[in-house]
Amino acid sequence: MPILTPSPATIAEAARHILSGGLVAFPTETVYGLGADATQDKAVAAIYELKSRPSFNPLIAHVAELAIAERYAVFDTRAHYIARRLWPGPLTLVLPRRKEALVSDLVTAGLPSLAIRVPDHPVALQLLYAVGRPVAAPSANRSGKVSPTTAEHVEAEFGNRLAMILDGGPTRVGLESTVLDLTGERAVLLRPGGITRETLEASLGEIDVAKPDQPDSPKSPGMLLSHYAPRLPVRLTCDDPQPGEALLAFGPDVPEGFAEVFNLSPTGTLVEAAANLFAALRALDKPDFSGIAVMPIPPQGIGLAILDRLRRAAAPR
């Protein structure tokens, strides 16, 4: 499977693969996506098969601009306002699906809503314009495992099972998009991510937050209790090092006694920690270690999204 540098020629080739039903990995500002034509049932089914993803877990449709998104989902005043302010960007809106929208029911998991966003990455936008259709693009990893933030992560996950990978370098945000449900009267935060709750509430007023223990029919990706999980067990405390345990550290004061340390941000910067989170989990997920302990992360701003991913990584599997 070729890892290719983005160019007009390679982006056009990637678009041809997608339109013919193939799977292409490409960078966004959040993580690398596993892209398929969202209007083709077989192409979307191939995503579920490759990721071993539960069929009840919906996918996010990626489009190049708001005007295109309006062809597939119903935007009320709130949705228009927040999309104009924060798109392109790491924000997914769950909206009523237009009845005439030619999107596979596999993308919506049979729900009357559609999760949709405009990514803030030049390669992603060029590819989406070239495809000319919504692209279903969950993170390019097996379901429930650690999301990829480099092309090499994708290659290690799937080998030669993709048509190609577009290499845009390390992703900038490093966490998946925030998911906001606007299908009801009150806005509901389904998944914290690259856009903070404070930013959303500055535009929309107070929003509700979905409970962490979701039923078997979630309205968006990333809501299953166990998710973003490495092979090793994750322990959300670093009080006493366990034998052979690695440490996911944060800040300048790192405890001793761990087999290996990966510091998300030696300066204690949450944005830096978010960008490094998934790469760090992959780096520590080695058979040499017995598990991964985690230092406390401040529960504010994008730190809430980091904590969400860590809680799901540590959940029973």
Side-chain angles (χ1 to χ4, degrees):
M1 170 184 53
I3 296 180
L4 299 176
T5 300
S7 69
T10 57
I11 288 172
E13 181 184 354
R16 288 193 294 271
H17 281 303
I18 290 175
L19 289 171
S20 64
L23 301 182
V24 170
F26 63 95
T28 74
E29 78 279 29
T30 58
V31 298
Y32 273 71
L34 181 61
D37 185 344
T39 70
Q40 296 187 41
D41 289 336
K42 288 185 178 180
V44 178
I47 288 179
Y48 283 105
E49 180 181 19
L50 186 61
K51 285 177 63 73
S52 299
R53 184 183 181 94
S55 59
F56 53 73
N57 200 3
L59 304 174
I60 295 172
H62 293 67
V63 295
E65 59 182 69
L66 173 58
I68 298 173
E70 291 175 307
R71 302 174 194 167
Y72 298 93
V74 178
F75 283 71
D76 61 12
T77 302
R78 299 171 302 169
H80 272 123
Y81 181 72
I82 203 73
R84 290 192 180 104
R85 283 180 58 86
L86 298 175
W87 277 0
L91 173 67
T92 295
L93 298 178
V94 177
L95 303 169
R97 173 184 174 181
R98 289 195 179 277
K99 293 181 180 179
E100 69 275 16
L102 297 179
V103 175
S104 170
D105 287 337
L106 294 174
V107 172
T108 63
L111 297 171
S113 56
L114 177 65
I116 194 163
R117 86 176 184 104
V118 178
D120 185 16
H121 193 290
V123 175
L125 292 175
Q126 290 168 45
L127 177 62
L128 292 169
Y129 276 120
V131 172
R133 300 176 184 176
V135 171
S139 57
N141 56 278
R142 287 179 174 80
S143 185
K145 301 303 181 184
V146 181
S147 300
T149 54
T150 68
E152 290 74 21
H153 291 163
V154 180
E155 183 181 42
E157 190 83 13
F158 292 127
N160 60 357
R161 300 183 68 187
L162 302 181
M164 61 187 291
I165 300 172
L166 289 172
D167 186 359
T171 59
R172 173 171 54 84
V173 176
L175 290 175
E176 293 83 2
S177 61
T178 299
V179 181
L180 184 68
D181 181 7
L182 293 178
T183 59
E185 289 187 7
R186 288 183 63 86
V188 180
L189 181 64
L190 299 183
R191 179 178 76 181
I195 298 292
T196 66
R197 179 181 178 182
E198 292 87 345
T199 298
L200 295 174
E201 291 189 329
S203 297
L204 297 175
E206 185 178 358
I207 61 177
D208 296 332
V209 179
K211 295 180 180 179
D213 51 337
Q214 294 302 317
D216 288 344
S217 298
K219 295 187 74 172
S220 90
M223 295 181 69
L224 300 179
L225 184 59
S226 177
H227 212 69
Y228 316 111
R231 290 181 292 271
L232 293 178
V234 176
R235 187 168 64 94
L236 299 182
T237 177
C238 63
D239 46 6
D240 294 313
Q242 303 300 311
E245 199 172 40
L247 176 66
L248 192 63
F250 177 79
D253 301 319
V254 178
E256 298 179 349
F258 290 90
E260 187 167 321
V261 174
F262 192 119
N263 199 326
L264 293 172
S265 174
T267 60
T269 304
L270 287 172
V271 172
E272 181 183 19
N276 289 332
L277 177 62
F278 290 135
L281 286 173
R282 286 177 177 272
L284 296 179
D285 192 22
K286 300 175 182 177
D288 317 51
F289 309 130
S290 61
I292 302 171
V294 181
M295 286 184 64
I297 303 293
Q300 60 195 39
I302 202 169
L304 291 172
I306 298 172
L307 289 170
D308 172 81
R309 302 311 190 271
L310 289 171
R311 281 193 295 266
R312 296 177 193 274
R317 307 170 192 176

